[in-house]
Amino acid sequence: MYKIYINEKPLIFIDSMGIQDEWLSDKKTLVTKYMGKTKEFLQYIDLLEKKSKINRVILHANEVKDLKNEFFKVVDVIHAGGGLVFNSENKLLVIFRRGLWDLPKGKIEKGEIKREGALREVMEETGVDGVKIQSKVGKTYHLFRSKHQKRALKLSHWYEMTTSYNGKLVPQLEEDIEKAKWVEPKDFLKNYTPMFINIRNIVTTYLASR
């Protein structure tokens, strides 16, 4: 299964065998089979971008990876990297940017290894030092419009990171980051709003695996 958030609403790709009965009876969910025409993607993107009664679209096919690959043909894919960074007290490093609580992340530069780009972005955005990657956590997908109103897919690669750094955090103001702080992970999910659904999902998924 793949979840791509568009205007905070999910476009879900799934194998046809994975369709659940409750989805079919949900009036706010559109369930449809992909018929092999890429222009279908644009129709469903438009539907989720606009105000409508539909708040979730589920596209299914015999092979979900083929469906994902077809979708990638109609959007520009921008790779980003970020971290779930924990200090010696097992607190999570979070940021506040453009009115939303977030995790440090940013665009992977051309020719840069994803892991290295994720480390660089974390350190640049927060001023934290001595960060080490422990493991890959997962990926998130978010469709947005560029400054020129062209649709692009941000594919963010997330890593578990650790540091013993106990110095001052320095939010990167030129990236509109107003705050950087350490918080208890469960407290972050419970009390820090608003927050992108993708961010909530990746933290929730990580904590559930521990």
Side-chain angles (χ1 to χ4, degrees), residues 1-47:
M1 178 188 293
Y2 298 89
K3 286 186 180 181
I4 298 162
Y5 281 91
I6 303 165
N7 195 25
E8 292 294 271
K9 300 176 182 178
L11 171 62
I12 298 174
F13 300 153
I14 194 168
D15 289 320
S16 296
M17 294 296 292
I19 297 298
Q20 299 178 19
D21 291 339
E22 58 264 33
W23 294 345
L24 300 173
S25 59
D26 183 355
K27 294 181 180 180
K28 294 184 178 181
T29 298
L30 175 63
V31 181
T32 185
K33 185 171 184 178
Y34 179 61
M35 302 307 292
K37 298 180 180 179
T38 54
K39 67 179 182 180
E40 293 178 58
F41 293 123
L42 301 179
Q43 295 172 353
Y44 298 127
I45 290 171
D46 283 338
L47 180 63

Side-chain angles (χ1 to χ4, degrees), residues 4 25-26 68 74-75 80 88 94 110 137 142 148 156 178 191 195 207:
I4 298 162
S25 59
D26 183 355
K68 183 204 74 171
V74 302
V75 294
S88 56
V94 303
K110 186 176 181 180
V137 175
H142 171 68
H148 304 291
S156 298
E178 299 175 41
N191 295 318
M195 180 192 307
L207 293 179

Side-chain angles (χ1 to χ4, degrees), residues 6-194:
I6 303 165
N7 195 25
E8 292 294 271
K9 300 176 182 178
L11 171 62
I12 298 174
F13 300 153
I14 194 168
D15 289 320
S16 296
M17 294 296 292
I19 297 298
Q20 299 178 19
D21 291 339
E22 58 264 33
W23 294 345
L24 300 173
S25 59
D26 183 355
K27 294 181 180 180
K28 294 184 178 181
T29 298
L30 175 63
V31 181
T32 185
K33 185 171 184 178
Y34 179 61
M35 302 307 292
K37 298 180 180 179
T38 54
K39 67 179 182 180
E40 293 178 58
F41 293 123
L42 301 179
Q43 295 172 353
Y44 298 127
I45 290 171
D46 283 338
L47 180 63
L48 292 172
E49 284 182 334
K50 298 174 181 177
K51 291 183 179 180
S52 72
K53 294 181 180 179
I54 300 298
N55 60 20
R56 177 171 60 175
V57 174
I58 298 174
L59 277 179
H60 61 95
N62 293 334
E63 295 291 339
V64 68
K65 286 188 178 180
D66 292 342
L67 186 53
K68 183 204 74 171
N69 292 337
E70 286 290 294
F71 180 76
F72 277 22
K73 293 178 182 178
V74 302
V75 294
D76 290 330
V77 180
I78 297 172
H79 290 270
L84 282 74
V85 188
F86 295 89
N87 65 10
S88 56
E89 297 178 347
N90 205 33
K91 289 186 176 181
L92 177 67
L93 179 59
V94 303
I95 61 174
F96 186 73
R97 170 168 39 198
R98 298 168 191 152
L100 292 160
W101 288 100
D102 204 345
L103 298 174
K105 68 180 183 302
K107 183 180 177 181
I108 304 297
E109 301 296 340
K110 186 176 181 180
E112 190 174 34
I113 297 172
K114 296 182 181 68
R115 295 166 65 94
E116 293 178 353
L119 282 172
R120 175 185 54 76
E121 285 291 339
V122 164
M123 292 187 286
E124 288 179 354
E125 290 195 343
T126 66
V128 71
D129 199 4
V131 184
K132 297 180 180 179
I133 289 180
Q134 301 301 320
S135 63
K136 182 74 177 284
V137 175
K139 301 175 184 178
T140 58
Y141 304 84
H142 171 68
L143 195 76
F144 69 100
R145 287 184 181 269
S146 68
K147 294 180 180 179
H148 304 291
Q149 294 300 303
K150 188 174 182 180
R151 291 186 178 107
L153 178 70
K154 180 177 285 186
L155 197 175
S156 298
H157 303 265
W158 294 99
Y159 300 89
E160 177 190 5
M161 303 178 184
T162 57
T163 180
S164 57
Y165 180 77
N166 59 5
K168 182 180 179 181
L169 297 175
V170 183
Q172 191 177 19
L173 299 179
E174 56 267 36
E175 289 295 329
D176 299 324
I177 301 173
E178 299 175 41
K179 300 176 184 178
K181 61 184 297 187
W182 299 103
V183 301
E184 294 289 346
K186 291 182 179 179
D187 187 45
F188 179 58
L189 293 176
K190 183 178 180 181
N191 295 318
Y192 285 71
T193 57

